[in-house]
Amino acid sequence: MKKVSIVIPVHNCQSTIRRSLMSIHNQTFRDFEVILVDNNSTDDTMKIVNEFINDMEIKVFKCLQKGIVPTLNTGIKHATGEYIARQDGDDFWYEDKLEKQVNFLESNPEIGIVGTQIQLLDSEGQIQKQGTMGIEIKYPLVDNEIRYMMIHGENPLCHPSVLIRAKLFELVGGYEKVFPKAEDLHLWLKFFPHTKFANLPEVLVDYTQTFSPDYDARVPLLLSDMYFSLYKTAGLIEGEKEKRVWDWQRDPNFHGNIGGR
């Protein structure tokens, strides 16, 4: 059994998947398997994936049900590692990413999930300064600040940067489709009672931000309100939520969509 299972959902990634897989191939940490799940690709994505079969341990599975959530859950189901990492088919890892994260979790058993800082790119590969919420992305490093952000509707962990203890999925299950485009924040909120969170201070991922016409920025706020009420009732949270208003919420023409992935 490998120490790390790297779960990669792919759908028509022929222009980026070679770079993404090469960044895994070049990792200094070598005790990993790649769980690659093809979600109905119709281009040359899988042909390119086959170029790496002899160089890395890649297990390929298919998910015929459309969407990121069933594709991710298919990958999680087949993962055997103690830790589960995430990468998308258009992202790039720096060569010491896994090594630094594994060392961190091995040294901090109370932490169940650790992310990294990222360099944000647009679909053309140009560096971006602002994320989905229209502000510069800098993820907090410590547990209490991460919890504060997620319970106020902000995502404090970059999804393709995280390394997660696999046992957490046994506690809370997998991803869910009930909150579109916020399946990662929903998962972190389910982890909330069971573990502590952290981010490394280094930029270790180039993250490609794509814009989706069906993204609704109100969904993370709804999620945070729901879980705040649940965890306050359970005695895990005290006090009241800080009232925060984003610039886009002041826009009288806003109908939920501000783009983002």
Side-chain angles (χ1 to χ4, degrees), residues 5-237:
S5 295
I6 304 170
V7 176
I8 310 177
V10 296
H11 173 73
N12 291 347
C13 303
Q14 66 178 16
S15 64
T16 56
I17 189 62
R18 182 178 284 107
R19 180 174 182 264
S20 295
L21 289 177
M22 186 58 69
S23 75
I24 294 176
H25 178 271
N26 292 336
Q27 289 295 299
T28 54
F29 182 85
R30 304 306 304 168
D31 189 11
F32 64 79
E33 63 177 0
V34 175
I35 308 295
L36 190 139
V37 186
D38 176 30
N39 191 212
N40 305 294
S41 294
T42 57
D43 63 0
D44 287 336
T45 295
M46 298 313 299
K47 181 179 178 181
I48 296 169
V49 169
N50 287 334
E51 297 174 8
F52 290 84
I53 293 293
N54 294 327
D55 296 326
M56 293 190 292
E57 183 173 335
I58 302 180
K59 300 175 182 177
V60 176
F61 301 92
K62 289 187 177 295
C63 177
L64 299 181
Q65 185 179 354
K66 294 180 180 179
I68 184 68
V69 168
T71 308
L72 284 171
N73 285 337
T74 298
I76 298 299
K77 174 183 176 182
H78 292 285
T80 64
E82 178 182 352
Y83 302 119
I84 293 177
R86 276 276 295 107
Q87 191 195 71
D88 288 324
D90 58 357
D91 297 314
F92 179 87
W93 288 358
Y94 297 11
E95 64 180 14
D96 54 351
K97 174 192 180 291
L98 278 183
E99 180 179 5
K100 288 183 174 179
Q101 288 182 296
V102 170
N103 288 342
F104 181 88
L105 289 184
E106 298 279 285
S107 300
N108 297 274
E110 75 282 5
I111 304 294
I113 174 171
V114 59
T116 77
Q117 306 304 313
I118 64 171
Q119 178 170 258
L120 194 64
L121 307 178
D122 65 16
S123 58
E124 303 299 321
Q126 300 299 309
I127 296 175
Q128 300 292 291
K129 294 297 184 183
Q130 294 182 338
T132 299
M133 289 297 198
I135 59 176
E136 185 174 357
I137 293 178
K138 185 172 178 60
Y139 294 111
L141 305 184
V142 296
D143 180 67
N144 64 320
E145 294 178 6
I146 291 172
R147 289 173 182 271
Y148 178 88
M149 281 185 65
M150 70 172 68
I151 214 67
H152 284 82
E154 296 181 74
N155 195 337
L157 297 153
C158 176
H159 199 189
S161 82
V162 295
L163 187 66
I164 307 169
R165 296 187 191 274
K167 65 182 182 180
L168 288 173
F169 287 96
E170 299 173 7
L171 289 172
V172 306
Y175 295 87
E176 299 180 32
K177 295 191 294 183
V178 291
F179 294 99
K181 306 296 181 180
E183 72 281 343
D184 50 349
L185 178 59
H186 190 196
L187 186 65
W188 315 154
L189 285 164
K190 291 198 298 181
F191 288 163
F192 194 97
H194 302 290
T195 193
K196 291 186 176 181
F197 306 83
N199 280 303
L200 299 183
E202 301 97 334
V203 173
L204 296 172
V205 175
D206 286 349
Y207 175 86
T208 301
Q209 178 174 251
T210 57
F211 288 88
S212 174
D214 56 351
Y215 179 82
D216 191 333
R218 295 170 297 191
V219 171
L221 302 180
L222 174 63
L223 256 173
S224 66
D225 286 343
M226 183 183 78
Y227 276 94
F228 183 89
S229 297
L230 174 64
Y231 292 148
K232 184 175 180 180
T233 301
L236 298 175
I237 296 175

